[in-house]
Amino acid sequence: MQNAIEASSLTKYYDDFLAVDHISFNVEKGEIFGFLGPNGAGKTTTIRMLVGLTVPSEGTAIVNGYDIREKIVEVKQHVGVVPETSNLYDELTVWQNLLFMSRLYHVPKQEREKRIGSLLKTFELWNRKQFKFGRLSKGLKRRVTVAAAFVHNPAIIFLDEPTIGLDVMSARSLRGLLNEFKEKGITVFLTTHYIEEADELCDRIAVLVKGKIVNIATPDSMKSVVGTPVVEASFNSPIKPTMIKGLEAVGELGVDGCKVRIFTKDVSSAIEALTALSKEHGLKIDYVNTVRPNLEEAFVKLTGVASEVMKVEKDGGGKQP
């Protein structure tokens, strides 16, 4: 399979600060490629280099067959960018914003209205085409911003935190659109702070820490870095910290309300310890199961940063939409 992006030793300094540290990776055509990492890891800076918004200090990348150092105008003609903060105009209507973007990207005049109409229908925005952008909800603004990035039929779409701040239904709808893009052969380059979102959407994921890529793999392969089986149990009452001292001998613990997760190589001993816990404190076990480690646990092991910290950094600790 051909590559949509080939980055080679891509590097960015801001004075003495090394924001992106000689990273190399490939993105295959037609895949959804996730870029995960703590706040300040270099994700947005990487996108800015790949789409021509900032010049690399060292290294380069081939984007849709064009070198970003030598053919950046051609690169921009073949990529769409959805920034974390919308780049559209509040005082213009939805239609006017898309028309402006079509002119900016030199879409032929005879094709503009047809293409804009098609995008508005695809993104379920036709009935709001005369609404001013500034009066739309967050979810609708995000849809319009994504639609605007498609006005010139890009081969690659870059999305920086596309669902942050959206309600559940808006985020779900946008994720559905991303899968539709993939089915049409469009390459999606996605940054997100929502680990579950990356697990659901991405074919492969790169994890970036302090400007360096520490792992690139499929979500399932990445989960294997945890290595240890997980025994998960749910009780009929919340587990207090004072209750779990007896479990520490059988493995690493995670407690969330009524649920306990034990990372252990000795599954039998873990189950016995959970049973003893329930008897000692008069608790009822609703279920006990052996499960695979999830992507969040793999991310924490790779980066040392909990996903909750990432969410707090971005949106004050909001739940995954």
Side-chain angles (χ1 to χ4, degrees):
M1 182 178 289
Q2 289 182 304
N3 290 321
I5 301 170
E6 298 177 1
S8 178
S9 199
L10 201 58
T11 306
K12 184 65 180 180
Y13 285 94
Y14 291 105
D15 296 325
D16 294 332
F17 176 68
L18 182 56
V20 177
D21 188 0
H22 301 85
I23 62 174
S24 299
F25 63 92
N26 296 329
V27 179
E28 296 176 356
K29 285 189 176 181
E31 78 170 329
I32 299 180
F33 186 82
F35 219 52
L36 298 185
N39 201 31
K43 303 184 300 297
T44 298
T45 300
T46 300
I47 287 182
R48 288 177 61 82
M49 287 190 285
L50 292 174
V51 303
L53 294 177
T54 191
V55 178
S57 304
E58 298 174 20
T60 191
I62 308 299
V63 177
N64 206 46
Y66 299 100
D67 192 308
I68 61 173
R69 285 190 174 274
E70 300 174 359
K71 299 285 186 179
I72 196 58
V73 173
E74 289 82 358
V75 168
K76 290 181 178 181
Q77 291 171 347
H78 292 86
V79 302
V81 183
V82 181
E84 183 179 342
T85 303
S86 176
N87 55 351
L88 301 183
Y89 295 95
D90 286 349
E91 66 274 17
L92 298 183
T93 66
V94 171
W95 181 278
Q96 289 169 337
N97 267 295
L98 295 188
L99 184 61
F100 174 78
M101 294 300 288
S102 70
R103 290 169 176 164
L104 191 65
Y105 280 106
H106 306 292
V107 175
K109 188 175 182 179
Q110 64 272 21
E111 294 181 20
R112 290 173 189 166
E113 291 197 2
K114 182 179 179 181
R115 194 173 296 181
I116 292 169
S118 177
L119 285 169
L120 291 174
K121 291 172 183 176
T122 297
F123 286 86
E124 299 179 355
L125 293 164
W126 181 259
N127 293 334
R128 295 178 173 86
K129 62 181 178 179
Q130 298 303 334
F131 284 37
K132 286 193 175 181
F133 182 77
R135 301 188 65 182
L136 299 176
S137 67
K138 285 183 179 179
L140 289 174
K141 283 182 177 179
R142 214 66 183 131
R143 278 178 171 269
V144 178
T145 305
V146 177
F150 274 94
V151 76
H152 58 302
N153 287 338
I156 306 170
I157 188 81
F158 290 85
L159 299 107
D160 196 1
E161 304 288 350
T163 61
I164 196 163
L166 297 188
D167 60 79
V168 172
M169 293 308 296
S170 295
R172 184 177 298 168
S173 178
L174 186 51
R175 287 194 289 267
L177 285 170
L178 296 186
N179 280 318
E180 290 179 22
F181 300 159
K182 177 186 173 183
E183 290 173 6
K184 293 177 181 177
I186 297 167
T187 305
V188 178
F189 189 102
L190 171 74
T191 77
T192 178
H193 272 67
Y194 297 123
I195 308 297
E196 304 94 330
E197 185 169 78
D199 196 5
E200 176 186 341
L201 288 172
C202 296
D203 298 296
R204 290 187 304 138
I205 294 169
V207 176
L208 198 67
V209 180
K210 295 181 179 179
K212 290 186 176 183
I213 292 177
V214 298
N215 192 281
I216 300 179
T218 65
D220 283 345
S221 295
M222 199 164 283
K223 294 168 191 175
S224 67
V225 304
V226 177
T228 308
V230 180
V231 178
E232 184 177 82
S234 180
F235 296 87
N236 64 332
S237 296
I239 304 300
K240 298 177 182 178
T242 54
M243 297 179 181
I244 63 174
K245 291 182 179 179
L247 301 179
E248 293 172 349
V250 294
E252 184 180 341
L253 300 176
V255 180
D256 182 11
C258 298
K259 291 183 179 180
V260 176
R261 289 170 71 88
I262 305 177
F263 298 82
T264 179
K265 294 180 179 179
D266 191 346
V267 174
S268 296
S269 294
I271 294 174
E272 290 174 3
L274 289 167
T275 303
L277 173 72
S278 68
K279 290 180 179 178
E280 180 181 353
H281 297 281
L283 300 173
K284 177 184 175 183
I285 298 178
D286 292 328
Y287 75 82
V288 61
N289 196 16
T290 304
V291 298
R292 293 184 60 192
N294 59 38
L295 188 61
E296 178 180 330
E297 289 154 349
F299 179 87
V300 171
K301 184 161 185 176
L302 287 166
T303 66
V305 177
S307 63
E308 289 82 0
V309 174
M310 292 171 65
K311 293 173 187 174
V312 168
E313 289 172 341
K314 295 301 289 186
D315 59 12
K319 297 274 186 178
Q320 153 75 32

